[in-house]
Amino acid sequence: MISHHPPRLATWILKRLGSTIIEEALIGDLFEAYQTRRSPFWYWRQVGVAIGVGACRDVWHHLPVALGAIVTGLFVAAVPFWWLVNTSAASLSNVPLPAWILTLAAWLVVFGSALLSGWLVSLLFRAHRAAAVLSLAAAIVVAGAIVLPNAADLGPLALGSVLLLDALAAIGGGSLTGVRERTLRG
Amino acid sequence: MKRHNGSLELMIMLAIMRLEDAAYGVPISREIEESAGREVAMATVYASLDRLEARGLVKSKLGDPTPERGGRAKRLFTITAAGIREVQEARRALTQLWNRLPQLKGQLS
């Protein structure tokens, strides 16, 4: 029998952001069901629900972890942002570089700090990685929606895109740490 | 206070009873899809199964890894005696409530 491989990136993300309920058995079930459905969209949706359901359960059962991740992650993400807005913006305006390079550098600092905070939170709260990283991503969106309109001149579409990219950067950073060890019950 | 099952949990327990030795994620979700006419995400089924197992209503064991599952093992579920009692209790309660509806009285087999 020829096996049809589901999207590998989705499985990779599921293995890294999967919570305590995500087991090899569930990944095997998705693989088996994919043989008959074979729709990448279906598979991605299943993976999204699996990460979401797992993270909600983890957050519910480990609220202190989620709060710790939010505080730690926001602090790590906010320090470069604060430096950029309060210290470097004035001095950078004197640097003889094209404006688009400075803008790009500023956004790299914003997304880089989100990626770094996701990575750090994922390391610190390894046992409940999905809950920690997804709580942080949600907190970044909320905090960004409050702070960014005052710090940068962005329209609603640009603001939404930046917040989405920032959250994805934090999730991406959280996915960079190694695959969590799993214990299969049985 | 006794915790009551949701309709999904009840459907899952009935699917496990019907599937007997072949009750794992894929056929359980297929049974629900065919009976209820709606797709339920696999992770949602697993979350319910975990809750049922924590309450001692179902138990699980790992099967052997198989190639059609990418070399991963099945997690096979069976219903416990407490689970069967729970299903019977739910049926009794639902039937009683149903029979109290005058317009539906006698329509249940």
Side-chain angles (χ1 to χ4, degrees), chain A residues 8-52:
Chain A
R8 286 185 168 85
L9 178 63
T11 308
W12 184 84
I13 292 172
L14 180 58
K15 282 181 176 176
R16 275 152 186 81
L17 283 181
S19 78
T20 47
I21 72 152
I22 308 302
E23 300 171 0
E24 284 292 299
L26 170 58
I27 298 173
D29 281 339
L30 291 179
F31 189 100
E32 186 182 330
Y34 187 77
Q35 304 309 307
T36 51
R37 297 180 188 261
R38 286 210 296 269
S39 156
F41 175 74
W42 175 86
Y43 191 80
W44 274 103
R45 197 163 55 83
Q46 293 281 336
V47 165
V49 172
I51 291 171

mmCIF file of all heavy atoms in Angstrom, chain A residues 8-52:
data_model
loop_
_atom_site.group_PDB
_atom_site.id
_atom_site.type_symbol
_atom_site.label_atom_id
_atom_site.label_comp_id
_atom_site.label_asym_id
_atom_site.label_seq_id
_atom_site.Cartn_x
_atom_site.Cartn_y
_atom_site.Cartn_z
ATOM 1 N N ARG A 8 4.211 17.709 5.938
ATOM 2 C CA ARG A 8 5.233 17.448 6.969
ATOM 3 C C ARG A 8 5.395 18.633 7.923
ATOM 4 O O ARG A 8 5.674 18.448 9.104
ATOM 5 C CB ARG A 8 6.560 17.116 6.295
ATOM 6 C CG ARG A 8 6.573 15.726 5.701
ATOM 7 C CD ARG A 8 7.942 15.376 5.147
ATOM 8 N NE ARG A 8 8.048 13.959 4.829
ATOM 9 C CZ ARG A 8 7.646 13.415 3.680
ATOM 10 N NH1 ARG A 8 7.101 14.171 2.756
ATOM 11 N NH2 ARG A 8 7.768 12.119 3.463
ATOM 12 N N LEU A 9 5.241 19.840 7.374
ATOM 13 C CA LEU A 9 5.398 21.029 8.229
ATOM 14 C C LEU A 9 4.349 21.028 9.341
ATOM 15 O O LEU A 9 4.648 21.345 10.499
ATOM 16 C CB LEU A 9 5.289 22.308 7.377
ATOM 17 C CG LEU A 9 5.393 23.627 8.146
ATOM 18 C CD1 LEU A 9 6.769 23.757 8.821
ATOM 19 C CD2 LEU A 9 5.149 24.818 7.220
ATOM 20 N N ALA A 10 3.116 20.626 8.977
ATOM 21 C CA ALA A 10 2.044 20.590 9.978
ATOM 22 C C ALA A 10 2.377 19.586 11.078
ATOM 23 O O ALA A 10 2.207 19.872 12.271
ATOM 24 C CB ALA A 10 0.718 20.237 9.308
ATOM 25 N N THR A 11 2.871 18.407 10.678
ATOM 26 C CA THR A 11 3.228 17.389 11.678
ATOM 27 C C THR A 11 4.387 17.890 12.540
ATOM 28 O O THR A 11 4.396 17.681 13.758
ATOM 29 C CB THR A 11 3.623 16.072 10.977
ATOM 30 O OG1 THR A 11 2.587 15.721 10.061
ATOM 31 C CG2 THR A 11 3.819 14.954 11.966
ATOM 32 N N TRP A 12 5.333 18.564 11.915
ATOM 33 C CA TRP A 12 6.490 19.111 12.632
ATOM 34 C C TRP A 12 6.026 20.110 13.708
ATOM 35 O O TRP A 12 6.461 20.056 14.853
ATOM 36 C CB TRP A 12 7.417 19.786 11.611
ATOM 37 C CG TRP A 12 8.702 20.307 12.166
ATOM 38 C CD1 TRP A 12 9.862 19.616 12.383
ATOM 39 C CD2 TRP A 12 8.982 21.662 12.559
ATOM 40 N NE1 TRP A 12 10.834 20.451 12.882
ATOM 41 C CE2 TRP A 12 10.317 21.713 12.994
ATOM 42 C CE3 TRP A 12 8.221 22.840 12.572
ATOM 43 C CZ2 TRP A 12 10.921 22.886 13.445
ATOM 44 C CZ3 TRP A 12 8.829 24.012 13.029
ATOM 45 C CH2 TRP A 12 10.158 24.019 13.455
ATOM 46 N N ILE A 13 5.110 20.989 13.302
ATOM 47 C CA ILE A 13 4.598 21.990 14.252
ATOM 48 C C ILE A 13 3.821 21.292 15.374
ATOM 49 O O ILE A 13 3.968 21.622 16.545
ATOM 50 C CB ILE A 13 3.704 23.023 13.527
ATOM 51 C CG1 ILE A 13 4.560 23.885 12.595
ATOM 52 C CG2 ILE A 13 2.963 23.909 14.515
ATOM 53 C CD1 ILE A 13 3.770 24.809 11.683
ATOM 54 N N LEU A 14 3.011 20.283 15.008
ATOM 55 C CA LEU A 14 2.215 19.563 16.007
ATOM 56 C C LEU A 14 3.110 18.887 17.037
ATOM 57 O O LEU A 14 2.841 18.917 18.236
ATOM 58 C CB LEU A 14 1.324 18.528 15.316
ATOM 59 C CG LEU A 14 0.425 17.671 16.205
ATOM 60 C CD1 LEU A 14 -0.518 18.535 17.026
ATOM 61 C CD2 LEU A 14 -0.385 16.689 15.369
ATOM 62 N N LYS A 15 4.214 18.300 16.568
ATOM 63 C CA LYS A 15 5.119 17.621 17.495
ATOM 64 C C LYS A 15 5.791 18.613 18.438
ATOM 65 O O LYS A 15 6.088 18.281 19.586
ATOM 66 C CB LYS A 15 6.190 16.865 16.717
ATOM 67 C CG LYS A 15 5.706 15.555 16.128
ATOM 68 C CD LYS A 15 6.842 14.876 15.411
ATOM 69 C CE LYS A 15 6.435 13.513 14.896
ATOM 70 N NZ LYS A 15 7.508 12.893 14.114
ATOM 71 N N ARG A 16 6.036 19.798 17.947
ATOM 72 C CA ARG A 16 6.730 20.772 18.783
ATOM 73 C C ARG A 16 5.814 21.566 19.694
ATOM 74 O O ARG A 16 6.188 21.907 20.805
ATOM 75 C CB ARG A 16 7.548 21.724 17.906
ATOM 76 C CG ARG A 16 8.884 21.110 17.599
ATOM 77 C CD ARG A 16 9.450 21.583 16.288
ATOM 78 N NE ARG A 16 10.676 20.844 15.993
ATOM 79 C CZ ARG A 16 10.696 19.626 15.461
ATOM 80 N NH1 ARG A 16 9.556 18.997 15.192
ATOM 81 N NH2 ARG A 16 11.832 19.002 15.222
ATOM 82 N N LEU A 17 4.608 21.842 19.210
ATOM 83 C CA LEU A 17 3.690 22.641 20.034
ATOM 84 C C LEU A 17 2.598 21.791 20.673
ATOM 85 O O LEU A 17 1.736 22.312 21.348
ATOM 86 C CB LEU A 17 3.057 23.755 19.202
ATOM 87 C CG LEU A 17 3.947 24.957 18.918
ATOM 88 C CD1 LEU A 17 3.197 25.987 18.102
ATOM 89 C CD2 LEU A 17 4.460 25.593 20.196
ATOM 90 N N GLY A 18 2.641 20.496 20.424
ATOM 91 C CA GLY A 18 1.635 19.614 21.006
ATOM 92 C C GLY A 18 1.720 19.613 22.520
ATOM 93 O O GLY A 18 2.806 19.653 23.075
ATOM 94 N N SER A 19 0.568 19.572 23.161
ATOM 95 C CA SER A 19 0.567 19.592 24.628
ATOM 96 C C SER A 19 0.538 18.169 25.144
ATOM 97 O O SER A 19 0.814 17.213 24.427
ATOM 98 C CB SER A 19 -0.649 20.355 25.125
ATOM 99 O OG SER A 19 -1.767 19.528 25.021
ATOM 100 N N THR A 20 0.177 18.045 26.408
ATOM 101 C CA THR A 20 0.223 16.726 27.051
ATOM 102 C C THR A 20 -0.749 15.727 26.430
ATOM 103 O O THR A 20 -0.531 14.531 26.524
ATOM 104 C CB THR A 20 -0.087 16.861 28.549
ATOM 105 O OG1 THR A 20 -1.233 17.691 28.677
ATOM 106 C CG2 THR A 20 1.070 17.461 29.287
ATOM 107 N N ILE A 21 -1.846 16.223 25.809
ATOM 108 C CA ILE A 21 -2.791 15.251 25.248
ATOM 109 C C ILE A 21 -2.363 14.790 23.857
ATOM 110 O O ILE A 21 -2.910 13.855 23.316
ATOM 111 C CB ILE A 21 -4.257 15.766 25.199
ATOM 112 C CG1 ILE A 21 -4.433 16.826 24.117
ATOM 113 C CG2 ILE A 21 -4.743 16.210 26.526
ATOM 114 C CD1 ILE A 21 -5.858 16.850 23.587
ATOM 115 N N ILE A 22 -1.408 15.513 23.256
ATOM 116 C CA ILE A 22 -0.976 15.127 21.917
ATOM 117 C C ILE A 22 -0.005 13.964 22.050
ATOM 118 O O ILE A 22 1.072 14.096 22.600
ATOM 119 C CB ILE A 22 -0.285 16.304 21.191
ATOM 120 C CG1 ILE A 22 -1.139 17.545 21.232
ATOM 121 C CG2 ILE A 22 0.055 15.917 19.757
ATOM 122 C CD1 ILE A 22 -2.509 17.393 20.622
ATOM 123 N N GLU A 23 -0.408 12.850 21.554
ATOM 124 C CA GLU A 23 0.424 11.673 21.660
ATOM 125 C C GLU A 23 0.695 11.138 20.270
ATOM 126 O O GLU A 23 0.061 11.527 19.302
ATOM 127 C CB GLU A 23 -0.299 10.611 22.480
ATOM 128 C CG GLU A 23 -0.627 11.077 23.876
ATOM 129 C CD GLU A 23 -1.535 10.108 24.587
ATOM 130 O OE1 GLU A 23 -1.896 9.087 23.991
ATOM 131 O OE2 GLU A 23 -1.879 10.389 25.732
ATOM 132 N N GLU A 24 1.613 10.196 20.241
ATOM 133 C CA GLU A 24 1.927 9.543 18.976
ATOM 134 C C GLU A 24 0.666 8.900 18.386
ATOM 135 O O GLU A 24 0.492 8.846 17.179
ATOM 136 C CB GLU A 24 2.998 8.481 19.195
ATOM 137 C CG GLU A 24 4.400 9.060 19.383
ATOM 138 C CD GLU A 24 4.940 9.706 18.112
ATOM 139 O OE1 GLU A 24 5.094 9.021 17.102
ATOM 140 O OE2 GLU A 24 5.186 10.924 18.149
ATOM 141 N N ALA A 25 -0.214 8.399 19.261
ATOM 142 C CA ALA A 25 -1.440 7.743 18.787
ATOM 143 C C ALA A 25 -2.310 8.709 17.993
ATOM 144 O O ALA A 25 -2.880 8.336 16.962
ATOM 145 C CB ALA A 25 -2.220 7.172 19.962
ATOM 146 N N LEU A 26 -2.408 9.938 18.450
ATOM 147 C CA LEU A 26 -3.217 10.932 17.734
ATOM 148 C C LEU A 26 -2.567 11.258 16.388
ATOM 149 O O LEU A 26 -3.263 11.347 15.358
ATOM 150 C CB LEU A 26 -3.362 12.200 18.586
ATOM 151 C CG LEU A 26 -3.976 13.422 17.894
ATOM 152 C CD1 LEU A 26 -5.364 13.121 17.352
ATOM 153 C CD2 LEU A 26 -4.040 14.607 18.837
ATOM 154 N N ILE A 27 -1.257 11.417 16.382
ATOM 155 C CA ILE A 27 -0.560 11.699 15.123
ATOM 156 C C ILE A 27 -0.750 10.524 14.151
ATOM 157 O O ILE A 27 -0.973 10.712 12.961
ATOM 158 C CB ILE A 27 0.939 11.985 15.378
ATOM 159 C CG1 ILE A 27 1.081 13.228 16.266
ATOM 160 C CG2 ILE A 27 1.690 12.208 14.071
ATOM 161 C CD1 ILE A 27 2.489 13.520 16.734
ATOM 162 N N GLY A 28 -0.702 9.298 14.691
ATOM 163 C CA GLY A 28 -0.946 8.109 13.870
ATOM 164 C C GLY A 28 -2.363 8.078 13.322
ATOM 165 O O GLY A 28 -2.589 7.722 12.164
ATOM 166 N N ASP A 29 -3.341 8.485 14.156
ATOM 167 C CA ASP A 29 -4.739 8.527 13.697
ATOM 168 C C ASP A 29 -4.902 9.542 12.570
ATOM 169 O O ASP A 29 -5.607 9.283 11.590
ATOM 170 C CB ASP A 29 -5.668 8.905 14.865
ATOM 171 C CG ASP A 29 -5.950 7.725 15.778
ATOM 172 O OD1 ASP A 29 -5.777 6.574 15.322
ATOM 173 O OD2 ASP A 29 -6.321 7.945 16.938
ATOM 174 N N LEU A 30 -4.259 10.695 12.726
ATOM 175 C CA LEU A 30 -4.352 11.717 11.674
ATOM 176 C C LEU A 30 -3.699 11.217 10.387
ATOM 177 O O LEU A 30 -4.205 11.449 9.293
ATOM 178 C CB LEU A 30 -3.689 13.028 12.136
ATOM 179 C CG LEU A 30 -4.406 13.789 13.255
ATOM 180 C CD1 LEU A 30 -3.639 15.052 13.635
ATOM 181 C CD2 LEU A 30 -5.823 14.159 12.837
ATOM 182 N N PHE A 31 -2.586 10.524 10.538
ATOM 183 C CA PHE A 31 -1.890 9.955 9.370
ATOM 184 C C PHE A 31 -2.808 8.952 8.664
ATOM 185 O O PHE A 31 -2.970 8.983 7.440
ATOM 186 C CB PHE A 31 -0.603 9.259 9.843
ATOM 187 C CG PHE A 31 0.308 8.814 8.730
ATOM 188 C CD1 PHE A 31 1.424 9.574 8.385
ATOM 189 C CD2 PHE A 31 0.066 7.645 8.026
ATOM 190 C CE1 PHE A 31 2.275 9.172 7.362
ATOM 191 C CE2 PHE A 31 0.900 7.239 6.998
ATOM 192 C CZ PHE A 31 2.011 8.011 6.664
ATOM 193 N N GLU A 32 -3.439 8.069 9.445
ATOM 194 C CA GLU A 32 -4.320 7.039 8.874
ATOM 195 C C GLU A 32 -5.543 7.665 8.206
ATOM 196 O O GLU A 32 -5.910 7.289 7.085
ATOM 197 C CB GLU A 32 -4.757 6.073 9.982
ATOM 198 C CG GLU A 32 -5.556 4.901 9.450
ATOM 199 C CD GLU A 32 -6.032 3.966 10.559
ATOM 200 O OE1 GLU A 32 -5.341 3.855 11.592
ATOM 201 O OE2 GLU A 32 -7.100 3.355 10.381
ATOM 202 N N ALA A 33 -6.150 8.628 8.871
ATOM 203 C CA ALA A 33 -7.341 9.276 8.296
ATOM 204 C C ALA A 33 -6.977 10.042 7.033
ATOM 205 O O ALA A 33 -7.786 10.135 6.104
ATOM 206 C CB ALA A 33 -7.972 10.208 9.336
ATOM 207 N N TYR A 34 -5.781 10.580 6.991
ATOM 208 C CA TYR A 34 -5.335 11.344 5.814
ATOM 209 C C TYR A 34 -5.271 10.456 4.575
ATOM 210 O O TYR A 34 -5.445 10.932 3.449
ATOM 211 C CB TYR A 34 -3.971 11.972 6.099
ATOM 212 C CG TYR A 34 -3.501 12.909 5.003
ATOM 213 C CD1 TYR A 34 -4.035 14.192 4.901
ATOM 214 C CD2 TYR A 34 -2.555 12.524 4.074
ATOM 215 C CE1 TYR A 34 -3.629 15.053 3.898
ATOM 216 C CE2 TYR A 34 -2.137 13.378 3.068
ATOM 217 C CZ TYR A 34 -2.681 14.641 2.987
ATOM 218 O OH TYR A 34 -2.274 15.486 1.987
ATOM 219 N N GLN A 35 -5.057 9.151 4.760
ATOM 220 C CA GLN A 35 -4.970 8.237 3.623
ATOM 221 C C GLN A 35 -6.291 8.193 2.850
ATOM 222 O O GLN A 35 -6.315 7.947 1.656
ATOM 223 C CB GLN A 35 -4.600 6.812 4.079
ATOM 224 C CG GLN A 35 -3.314 6.714 4.891
ATOM 225 C CD GLN A 35 -2.132 7.398 4.231
ATOM 226 O OE1 GLN A 35 -1.826 7.132 3.077
ATOM 227 N NE2 GLN A 35 -1.482 8.304 4.951
ATOM 228 N N THR A 36 -7.401 8.405 3.558
ATOM 229 C CA THR A 36 -8.697 8.384 2.871
ATOM 230 C C THR A 36 -9.165 9.792 2.490
ATOM 231 O O THR A 36 -9.873 9.963 1.503
ATOM 232 C CB THR A 36 -9.769 7.727 3.755
ATOM 233 O OG1 THR A 36 -9.747 8.350 5.035
ATOM 234 C CG2 THR A 36 -9.517 6.245 3.907
ATOM 235 N N ARG A 37 -8.774 10.788 3.259
ATOM 236 C CA ARG A 37 -9.260 12.153 2.965
ATOM 237 C C ARG A 37 -8.295 12.897 2.047
ATOM 238 O O ARG A 37 -8.726 13.577 1.133
ATOM 239 C CB ARG A 37 -9.466 12.930 4.274
ATOM 240 C CG ARG A 37 -10.525 12.280 5.138
ATOM 241 C CD ARG A 37 -10.714 13.058 6.417
ATOM 242 N NE ARG A 37 -11.590 12.363 7.335
ATOM 243 C CZ ARG A 37 -12.865 12.639 7.480
ATOM 244 N NH1 ARG A 37 -13.407 13.592 6.784
ATOM 245 N NH2 ARG A 37 -13.602 11.952 8.333
ATOM 246 N N ARG A 38 -7.013 12.804 2.371
ATOM 247 C CA ARG A 38 -5.945 13.370 1.531
ATOM 248 C C ARG A 38 -6.149 14.835 1.156
ATOM 249 O O ARG A 38 -5.843 15.261 0.075
ATOM 250 C CB ARG A 38 -5.766 12.542 0.270
ATOM 251 C CG ARG A 38 -5.100 11.241 0.505
ATOM 252 C CD ARG A 38 -4.327 10.802 -0.696
ATOM 253 N NE ARG A 38 -5.130 10.537 -1.862
ATOM 254 C CZ ARG A 38 -5.639 9.356 -2.166
ATOM 255 N NH1 ARG A 38 -5.412 8.335 -1.380
ATOM 256 N NH2 ARG A 38 -6.347 9.184 -3.259
ATOM 257 N N SER A 39 -6.685 15.600 2.103
ATOM 258 C CA SER A 39 -6.807 17.031 1.846
ATOM 259 C C SER A 39 -5.873 17.756 2.808
ATOM 260 O O SER A 39 -6.065 17.690 4.023
ATOM 261 C CB SER A 39 -8.250 17.480 2.065
ATOM 262 O OG SER A 39 -8.293 18.849 2.371
ATOM 263 N N PRO A 40 -4.875 18.443 2.275
ATOM 264 C CA PRO A 40 -3.963 19.174 3.164
ATOM 265 C C PRO A 40 -4.700 20.163 4.063
ATOM 266 O O PRO A 40 -4.335 20.343 5.215
ATOM 267 C CB PRO A 40 -3.021 19.899 2.197
ATOM 268 C CG PRO A 40 -3.060 19.099 0.954
ATOM 269 C CD PRO A 40 -4.458 18.554 0.869
ATOM 270 N N PHE A 41 -5.757 20.782 3.506
ATOM 271 C CA PHE A 41 -6.525 21.733 4.313
ATOM 272 C C PHE A 41 -7.131 21.029 5.522
ATOM 273 O O PHE A 41 -7.087 21.541 6.636
ATOM 274 C CB PHE A 41 -7.633 22.371 3.462
ATOM 275 C CG PHE A 41 -8.545 23.269 4.252
ATOM 276 C CD1 PHE A 41 -8.118 24.527 4.669
ATOM 277 C CD2 PHE A 41 -9.826 22.854 4.592
ATOM 278 C CE1 PHE A 41 -8.956 25.346 5.415
ATOM 279 C CE2 PHE A 41 -10.663 23.669 5.343
ATOM 280 C CZ PHE A 41 -10.221 24.913 5.741
ATOM 281 N N TRP A 42 -7.721 19.827 5.296
ATOM 282 C CA TRP A 42 -8.296 19.039 6.401
ATOM 283 C C TRP A 42 -7.224 18.761 7.448
ATOM 284 O O TRP A 42 -7.455 18.920 8.657
ATOM 285 C CB TRP A 42 -8.866 17.722 5.855
ATOM 286 C CG TRP A 42 -9.356 16.806 6.934
ATOM 287 C CD1 TRP A 42 -10.592 16.808 7.506
ATOM 288 C CD2 TRP A 42 -8.619 15.760 7.587
ATOM 289 N NE1 TRP A 42 -10.667 15.834 8.477
ATOM 290 C CE2 TRP A 42 -9.469 15.182 8.543
ATOM 291 C CE3 TRP A 42 -7.320 15.272 7.459
ATOM 292 C CZ2 TRP A 42 -9.065 14.134 9.372
ATOM 293 C CZ3 TRP A 42 -6.913 14.226 8.279
ATOM 294 C CH2 TRP A 42 -7.780 13.664 9.218
ATOM 295 N N TYR A 43 -6.038 18.372 6.989
ATOM 296 C CA TYR A 43 -4.968 18.011 7.919
ATOM 297 C C TYR A 43 -4.512 19.228 8.739
ATOM 298 O O TYR A 43 -4.358 19.146 9.956
ATOM 299 C CB TYR A 43 -3.792 17.411 7.136
ATOM 300 C CG TYR A 43 -2.760 16.760 8.032
ATOM 301 C CD1 TYR A 43 -2.963 15.476 8.534
ATOM 302 C CD2 TYR A 43 -1.594 17.434 8.383
ATOM 303 C CE1 TYR A 43 -2.033 14.881 9.359
ATOM 304 C CE2 TYR A 43 -0.654 16.836 9.208
ATOM 305 C CZ TYR A 43 -0.867 15.565 9.686
ATOM 306 O OH TYR A 43 0.058 14.977 10.509
ATOM 307 N N TRP A 44 -4.327 20.348 8.036
ATOM 308 C CA TRP A 44 -3.915 21.564 8.747
ATOM 309 C C TRP A 44 -4.959 21.979 9.777
ATOM 310 O O TRP A 44 -4.622 22.432 10.865
ATOM 311 C CB TRP A 44 -3.685 22.703 7.745
ATOM 312 C CG TRP A 44 -2.299 22.710 7.173
ATOM 313 C CD1 TRP A 44 -1.924 22.276 5.935
ATOM 314 C CD2 TRP A 44 -1.087 23.183 7.796
ATOM 315 N NE1 TRP A 44 -0.577 22.442 5.758
ATOM 316 C CE2 TRP A 44 -0.033 23.005 6.883
ATOM 317 C CE3 TRP A 44 -0.810 23.742 9.049
ATOM 318 C CZ2 TRP A 44 1.282 23.354 7.171
ATOM 319 C CZ3 TRP A 44 0.507 24.099 9.330
ATOM 320 C CH2 TRP A 44 1.526 23.899 8.404
ATOM 321 N N ARG A 45 -6.226 21.814 9.424
ATOM 322 C CA ARG A 45 -7.305 22.187 10.359
ATOM 323 C C ARG A 45 -7.258 21.287 11.598
ATOM 324 O O ARG A 45 -7.387 21.753 12.725
ATOM 325 C CB ARG A 45 -8.657 22.060 9.658
ATOM 326 C CG ARG A 45 -9.778 22.791 10.367
ATOM 327 C CD ARG A 45 -10.970 22.984 9.444
ATOM 328 N NE ARG A 45 -11.446 21.741 8.882
ATOM 329 C CZ ARG A 45 -12.275 20.912 9.509
ATOM 330 N NH1 ARG A 45 -12.714 21.206 10.712
ATOM 331 N NH2 ARG A 45 -12.670 19.798 8.933
ATOM 332 N N GLN A 46 -7.050 19.977 11.366
ATOM 333 C CA GLN A 46 -6.962 19.034 12.482
ATOM 334 C C GLN A 46 -5.781 19.393 13.396
ATOM 335 O O GLN A 46 -5.894 19.330 14.617
ATOM 336 C CB GLN A 46 -6.789 17.605 11.954
ATOM 337 C CG GLN A 46 -8.001 17.058 11.212
ATOM 338 C CD GLN A 46 -9.103 16.591 12.139
ATOM 339 O OE1 GLN A 46 -8.866 16.253 13.287
ATOM 340 N NE2 GLN A 46 -10.321 16.584 11.651
ATOM 341 N N VAL A 47 -4.655 19.742 12.765
ATOM 342 C CA VAL A 47 -3.467 20.104 13.547
ATOM 343 C C VAL A 47 -3.738 21.383 14.347
ATOM 344 O O VAL A 47 -3.399 21.470 15.533
ATOM 345 C CB VAL A 47 -2.233 20.287 12.624
ATOM 346 C CG1 VAL A 47 -1.094 20.998 13.341
ATOM 347 C CG2 VAL A 47 -1.763 18.927 12.113
ATOM 348 N N GLY A 48 -4.372 22.354 13.718
ATOM 349 C CA GLY A 48 -4.709 23.602 14.409
ATOM 350 C C GLY A 48 -5.600 23.342 15.618
ATOM 351 O O GLY A 48 -5.355 23.872 16.707
ATOM 352 N N VAL A 49 -6.624 22.502 15.425
ATOM 353 C CA VAL A 49 -7.535 22.187 16.532
ATOM 354 C C VAL A 49 -6.769 21.438 17.629
ATOM 355 O O VAL A 49 -6.944 21.712 18.819
ATOM 356 C CB VAL A 49 -8.736 21.349 16.040
ATOM 357 C CG1 VAL A 49 -9.584 20.865 17.207
ATOM 358 C CG2 VAL A 49 -9.597 22.161 15.084
ATOM 359 N N ALA A 50 -5.893 20.506 17.226
ATOM 360 C CA ALA A 50 -5.137 19.720 18.205
ATOM 361 C C ALA A 50 -4.264 20.626 19.069
ATOM 362 O O ALA A 50 -4.223 20.474 20.295
ATOM 363 C CB ALA A 50 -4.276 18.676 17.489
ATOM 364 N N ILE A 51 -3.602 21.590 18.432
ATOM 365 C CA ILE A 51 -2.745 22.502 19.201
ATOM 366 C C ILE A 51 -3.611 23.400 20.097
ATOM 367 O O ILE A 51 -3.310 23.603 21.271
ATOM 368 C CB ILE A 51 -1.867 23.346 18.246
ATOM 369 C CG1 ILE A 51 -0.834 22.434 17.568
ATOM 370 C CG2 ILE A 51 -1.159 24.465 19.004
ATOM 371 C CD1 ILE A 51 -0.052 23.092 16.455
ATOM 372 N N GLY A 52 -4.707 23.897 19.531
ATOM 373 C CA GLY A 52 -5.598 24.778 20.292
ATOM 374 C C GLY A 52 -6.230 24.073 21.486
ATOM 375 O O GLY A 52 -6.198 24.593 22.608
#
